[in-house]
Amino acid sequence: MQTNSNGIHTIEKKAKEDRYQHHDYYNIDELLDDDHLLARDAVRTWVKQSVSPIIEEYSEKAQCPTHLFKELAEIGAFGPSLPVEYGGGGMDEIAYGVIMQELERGDSGIRSMASVQGSLVMYPIFRFGSEEQRRKYLPKLGSGEFIGCFGLTEPDHGSNPSGMVTNIKDDGDAYILNGSKMWITNSPVADIAVVWAKDEAGKIRGVIVEKDMKGFHAPEIHGKWSLRASITGELVFEDVRVPKANILPEVVGLKGPLSCLSKARYGIAWGAIGAALDCYDSALRYSLEREQFGKPIGQFQLTQKKLAEMITEITKAQLLAWRLGSLANKGKATPAQISMAKRNNVNMALEIAREARQIHGGMGITNEYPVMRHMMNLETVLTYEGTHDIHLLITGMDVTGLNAFK
Ligand code: TGC
Ligand code: FAD
């Protein structure tokens, strides 16, 4: 705050200074190797330089900082755990995790830009694509020359993608694609879309649709109060002729898109910790600097309870993510384990954002502090990549052996 010439307190408008300090209550850094720490610190520095100074303004204006796609590519945020020869970073799953954590410390929308490009576009082309498709698309996606998006959700089929109606019909050397997709991150700015559609036998197939294909449109969705620095749109297909060479040959069925989701959900389990850490860090600092009743508000027991519970929950989430990463490195992380971590860590981050907002009092609703932006973003993160309740039911199914979806 500052005081104006009339002696009235006003909010000080100055270039944003990112005062974030990392918090590692259980010395989890000791579980990370030098490559993890190097990758994490490089991304942390980049976020301080390139994201923090602009993110409030872009969020306020609901604009996507598309210039950051190239920079994200340069810091290795696209497909960190995919092979280098296919445009990835050649690192392990924990490196991928800590990179997502640092990006989401900046903003969930920035992490989304990287999650979609790496885990939902590059990964399916790498895992299920032909060698020709890999060579054609992956280097361009890895370098940020191409932007990709992932089309699974439809207007009438969100949690239940198996009900999708988007379809392909055989037409000689091509498929004719019809239908629409909803809530697609990056779609209005994407060069290619990995689209999931049913063939004439009702089997789910993946196709790569290029932006210039006739009959393909990607209008933007406006009016979001959440993830405002991320661009979201639809995908509309009206008799789009997609060459047969663009079908992903190596997978048939819902396990194709769901495998990509496992990869992205894993990244979100780490990413959410970043948002939580930023809220906690801001709340802790504010509690030491803000005085009421003649003492710092951090001296009141109720504030200490909030802060103590926050760091406890963050620490539990960090351990969960690290253990999940260790399992993933051995190829042993199950989809249900990933669901548990995504659900727990995102919910943890959202609750911490709400508590942190309270600690900041009225200032907590302003863009002087990052907490309200994180809180609004996390409402989306709680819903996309499988809602909070869908992940609960996945855990329920895993422990009981009984399927609540059928
Ligand atoms: P179900 O019969 O259970 O499974 C069908 C097949 O898929 C296999 N499978 C998986 N494979 C890999 N990873 C997973 N996580 C898997 N989950 C299931 C399964 O073994 C089976 O294989 P097979 O060989 O027997 O055919 O399928 P279901 O229709 O009953 O659905 C189950 C349910 C509800 C859990 C699933 O549909 C689901 O996860 N729904 C949530 C939908 C969702 O997460 N949508 C996300 C859209 S993309 C997005 O939000 C991107 S946001 C991007 C950003 O900005 O960051
Ligand atoms: P619904 O499925 O209609 O669910 C509504 C409510 O019903 C939820 O609370 C849900 O938990 C509950 N529910 C549904 N089924 C059950 C059940 N069986 N038991 C109990 N409760 C149930 N999708 C993509 O494909 N690609 C993207 O890039 C993408 N990006 C997104 C970006 C944003 C900003 C947003 C908001 C969404 C994005 N999505 C994307 C879509 C997202 O994955 C879906 O919103 C999500 O899967 C939920 O689908 P829905 O919104 O249709 O909700």
Side-chain angles (χ1 to χ4, degrees), residues 112 116 120 149-160 181-186 224 226-227 230 232 261 379-380 383-390 393 404-405:
S112 255
V116 170
L120 297 181
C149 68
F150 175 89
L152 180 64
T153 305
E154 298 188 353
D156 294 330
H157 302 96
S159 297
N160 179 26
K181 299 286 175 180
M182 180 81 176
W183 294 119
I184 308 304
T185 299
N186 295 342
K224 291 181 297 160
S226 174
L227 224 69
S230 165
T232 317
L261 291 178
E379 291 290 349
T380 285
T383 289
Y384 71 20
E385 304 265 8
T387 70
H388 187 63
D389 286 345
I390 291 298
L393 294 174
F405 302 111

Side-chain angles (χ1 to χ4, degrees), residues 107-129:
D107 190 80
S108 302
I110 305 297
R111 195 266 308 134
S112 255
M113 288 160 87
S115 293
V116 170
Q117 184 89 348
S119 298
L120 297 181
V121 180
M122 292 171 69
Y123 177 73
I125 295 174
F126 167 69
R127 171 116 185 251
F128 305 124

